[in-house]
Amino acid sequence: MKDDRFRSRKLLFGLCFAIFFTVTLTIASAESEPSIEWQKCLGGSGVDAASNIHQTSDGGYIVAGSSYSSDGNVTGNHGITDYWIVKLDTGGNIEWQKCLGGSSYDKASSIHQTSDGGYIVAGGSYSKDGNVTGNHGSSDYWIVKLDTGGDIEWQKCLGGSIEEEARSIHQTSDGGYIVAGGSYSKDGNVTGNHGERDYWVVKLEPDENEDETDLSILDINPVQVIYGCDIDEDKIVDLVAGKPIAVDVGTYLHVDRLEDLDLDQSIAFELLIDGQTCGREEKTIRELEEHRQTNIIFYPNQALEAGEHTIEAKMTPDIDDWDKDNNMLSETVEVKDTNDLYLVYVPIDETELGYFNLNPSSYGPIDMEEYASTVEDSGRFINATYPISKLTNTPMECKYYGSDLPSGSYDWLTLGGVVSDMLYIWEAGEFFTLTFADRSVGIVPDGYFEYHHIVNNPVGLYLWPINAGLVEVGYPTTTAHEIGHTYGLRLPVTGAGEEYYLKNPPYANGIWVSEKIPYTNELCFMNYAPMKYSLSRWVCDEDYEDLFKSFSTSYTPTTSLPLTNVILCSGIVYKNDTIDLMPTYFVENGITDKVPSGDYSLKILDMNKDVLDETDFDVQFFVTSDSVGTIETDVSGFAFVANYPEEASTILIQHEDKTLVEFNPHSKLLHDAIDSIPNEGFVKNPEESRKALHAKINAFEKMLEEGSFEEAQVKLEDDIEDKVKKWVVDNYQKDNPLQLSKEEVLYLINEEEDRLKIISGQ
C-alpha cells in the first residue's frame, strides 16, 4: 500500500502548477512589480505536477515532476504516474518530453543539467518494471541519467525494503553525484538508521564507462497477465501452474563511438527455463541503437508445473563489450496451483407483459447469435486475465424468461424483479451442472436494465453475496467485471458506497499471452465498460493479485472435492425481515458452498428439533452496477448449496436468532417439482392436475406433522407417485432450464420415499 504522504504531495503540486507551469518575470525597476512575459499550461487530463525547474545552457528550461496523464502533451506513460521530464525552449515551447518509470508510482523531485549536456534526475519510484530495475522494496531513490535528447543512459535504484524518496541531486566537481532525501529503511543500501525517517545522503561515483560500448540485459519479467506479480510479498514473481507465459527481457546499449560498430551485425538473445533453451531472438546493432533500451518479448508456449523455476536470459555480443558480466541475467519464480473456473451462461429472454400494465414496455428478444458471441468473447477474455489454467465456459441454449416485475420506478416497487432473475440464474447454473459450476451469468438483451429502471442504464449488475451476475449482451469485459465482484473485487466494506475510481482509475499493464498483445496504461476491467463488443480492457496489479490469492489459497483439486446430497436454497430478503422463498431443488452427490458468514442462518433440524446442520450467511442491501457504482436497495437475496442430511425434517431461516421462515423440506421439494412442470407436460387439464397434486402433497405433509409415517409412505408411493406416472407426459420438451422432466420428478419422489423410511426408523 502506498504511503499517503506520497499521494498528498502529488495533489499539492498538481494544484500549484495546474495554472502556471512556467513563468518568466521581467523586473523593470526596484519599485515596479514583475510582469508576466509568458506562461504555459502543460499536461493532460490527469494530475500533472512540476517539482523542479532550471535554466539550461542553451537558454531554455528543463522541468521535472510527475504525471498521471496519457494524453494532451503527455505521451508514453508507463503506469499510474511517471517521472515527466519536459525540455522547453526560451519561449516555453516543448522541444521534447519523456515519461520515465514503470507501472506503479514514480515521481521526480530534482533535475540538473550535467557537464556533458545531459541531465541527472532523482526522485522516488515504487515500480519494478518498465524503465525501473533493481527496486529494493517499497519506494526507492530512483536516479536516472539522460542524454541531451532525454534518452536514458543509465538508471539506478537505491534504498531498502521500506521507503526512500530522493529530494535533491547535484553533479559534484569530480563528475559524480550527491543525492539527498529521506529513508525509513535499515537494510539494502541503507545502514545506520536512527529510528523512523532519517536524512539519507548518498555520493555516487563518476560515470566510469561513458566512453565505452556496453550491451547489457537489464531485467527479466516473466508475465502471464501482469508484470511483477508477487502475492506473497517475498520479492519472487508468482505464476500460475499450467498457464502459458511470456518473458519480457529488457536490454540496453550504451555506445560512445557508433562509427566503430557494424550496424548490421546481429546479436543473439536466448531464453532458458530450468536450463533448457525455449526461445531465441536476433537484433541488429542498428535496431538496438535506435531506442538504446529495447524490450524483447519471448513467447515460449510453455506452461510450468507448481514449484520454483529459474528463467534465464543471455546474449553473446561479438563486439568489444565493456562489461561481460551483464550479458546474462536470471530470475527465480514461484509457480502455484490455483483452482479452475467453471462458468455457466443463461440467456434471458423478453418478459411477456408489464406488471399490471404499470410498465407496458418490455425488452428483447435476445439475439442468440449475439448471445453465443458474448459467451465466447467473455471466456477468451476471462481466460486471459484471470489467474487460472483451465476455464470451463458453458452456454445454456434453453432460455429463461425474465420477471415481468419492473423495479424502482414506483415507491412500492423494489428491485424484486432483478433479484428474482438473478436468483433464478444462479439456480439454473447450479442445477444444470449438478452444483459443479463456480459462477452463473445471465446474459440479458438490450433494454433489460432500462425496463427495470436501474439508474443510468448500466450494462452489468451484481448482488452480494450471490455467485451470479447479469450482463448485457455484447459486453464481454463486463462479465469479467461482475465475476470479479463475486470474488470480492471493488466492493464496499460495509453498506453502499462508490465503486469506481473515475478521477484516477486503476490502470493496467501486462500481456495477453495467447494473442501476443502487450498492454500499456489500459483501463482495468473493474472500471467502467468499454464500447459494446470491445475487449479494450485489462486487469490492474491490485485486482489480479487479489484474484490470485483467492484462487490459490482455497486450492482444492477437483478430484478431492467432498460430494454429498444437497439442496439449492435461495430467497428474496426484505429489510422488514420478510422472505420470499425461491424454488428448492435436490441434487445427488453435489458440492456445498463456502458462504460468507453473517447474522442470518439456515438450520436443518431432525424430528426431535435437534440441529443437524447450520449455515450462517450474509445479506447486504445494495447492488453494484457497471458503470453506475453501488446502489442501496430495500431488497436483497441469498443463494447457496446446503447439505441435506437424510434425517432432515424441518428447515429454519433466522435473522439474529429470530425465525423468519420455517418449512418442511420434503413437501416443499415436491411442491416446487410439480410447479416446474409446464402446462405442456401434463396429459390433460394442466391447471386441475397441478392443483390436485398440490392437494395430495399437502395431505402428505400433514401426515408427517402428525407422525403418521406409514400413512405418509402409502400416500407418497401409491397416490402421488402413481398420479405423476399417469398425468405427466413422457419426455416433454423443456423450455426453461429449471423445469424438471417426468423422470426427474419420479426420481425425487423415490428419494423422499427412502428418506421417509430412515426418519420413521423402518
Side-chain angles (χ1 to χ4, degrees), residues 261-514:
L261 299 176
D262 177 3
L263 298 184
D264 294 321
Q265 180 180 343
S266 292
I267 305 295
F269 296 86
E270 193 174 4
L271 180 73
L272 299 91
I273 298 180
D274 296 331
Q276 300 296 314
T277 300
C278 56
R280 179 184 172 88
E281 295 282 343
E282 291 191 359
K283 295 285 183 181
T284 65
I285 297 292
R286 189 186 308 277
E287 290 173 312
L288 294 170
E289 193 277 332
E290 182 178 358
H291 299 289
R292 295 292 180 92
Q293 184 168 323
T294 303
N295 284 69
I296 302 170
I297 301 179
F298 292 87
Y299 296 94
N301 192 28
Q302 184 171 347
L304 304 177
E305 296 180 351
E308 283 196 354
H309 297 267
T310 301
I311 298 177
E312 181 181 351
K314 65 180 183 179
M315 59 184 175
T316 310
D318 189 17
I319 57 176
D320 187 12
D321 196 30
W322 176 77
D323 184 0
K324 301 292 185 183
D325 292 336
N326 59 20
N327 295 165
M328 181 178 67
L329 196 63
S330 64
E331 177 91 11
T332 299
V333 298
E334 177 73 24
V335 180
K336 301 178 184 292
D337 285 316
T338 61
N339 290 322
D340 299 333
L341 183 58
Y342 190 168
L343 299 181
V344 177
Y345 300 80
V346 183
I348 297 181
D349 213 342
E350 61 181 328
T351 183
E352 294 181 359
L353 73 164
Y355 187 78
F356 296 147
N357 292 323
L358 289 174
N359 190 31
S361 64
S362 186
Y363 54 84
I366 191 167
D367 185 312
M368 291 303 287
E369 289 187 3
E370 278 191 286
Y371 164 73
S373 176
T374 303
V375 171
E376 181 181 356
D377 287 345
S378 296
R380 287 176 53 233
F381 186 76
I382 289 173
N383 202 31
T385 55
Y386 271 57
I388 54 175
S389 61
K390 180 182 178 182
L391 171 69
T392 302
N393 206 56
T394 304
M396 296 176 64
E397 298 301 325
C398 195
K399 298 177 182 178
Y400 164 71
Y401 292 88
S403 170
D404 63 359
L405 175 65
S407 307
S409 57
Y410 307 98
D411 290 342
W412 58 278
L413 291 178
T414 66
L415 286 171
V418 172
V419 174
S420 173
D421 286 349
M422 197 171 297
L423 294 175
Y424 269 113
I425 293 306
W426 173 83
E427 286 191 324
E430 294 290 343
F431 190 68
F432 179 73
T433 65
L434 302 179
T435 72
F436 279 84
D438 294 302
R439 301 293 188 265
S440 300
V441 182
I443 304 297
V444 303
D446 296 340
Y448 175 89
F449 293 110
E450 181 180 6
Y451 174 82
H452 285 287
H453 299 278
I454 308 298
V455 62
N456 290 348
N457 296 332
V459 295
L461 201 72
Y462 170 65
L463 174 66
W464 171 264
I466 299 169
N467 289 334
L470 300 175
V471 174
E472 186 173 313
V473 67
Y475 288 93
T477 66
T478 301
T479 306
H481 178 115
E482 303 307 335
I483 296 301
H485 281 320
T486 71
Y487 285 99
L489 298 187
R490 307 289 171 186
L491 289 176
V493 177
T494 56
E498 290 299 323
E499 180 186 9
Y500 303 104
Y501 298 97
L502 294 178
K503 291 185 178 179
N504 294 308
Y507 286 101
N509 301 277
I511 299 176
W512 189 330
V513 175
S514 63

Side-chain angles (χ1 to χ4, degrees), residues 618-658:
D618 190 27
V619 172
Q620 293 286 343
F621 291 92
F622 65 83
V623 295
T624 58
S625 65
D626 181 9
S627 59
V628 178
T630 303
I631 305 170
E632 291 192 54
T633 70
D634 57 0
V635 60
S636 187
F638 66 91
F640 54 87
V641 181
N643 185 31
Y644 186 35
E646 291 180 332
E647 302 86 357
S649 178
T650 303
I651 293 181
L652 304 179
I653 297 178
Q654 298 180 323
H655 182 210
E656 297 177 340
D657 295 327
K658 173 188 174 183

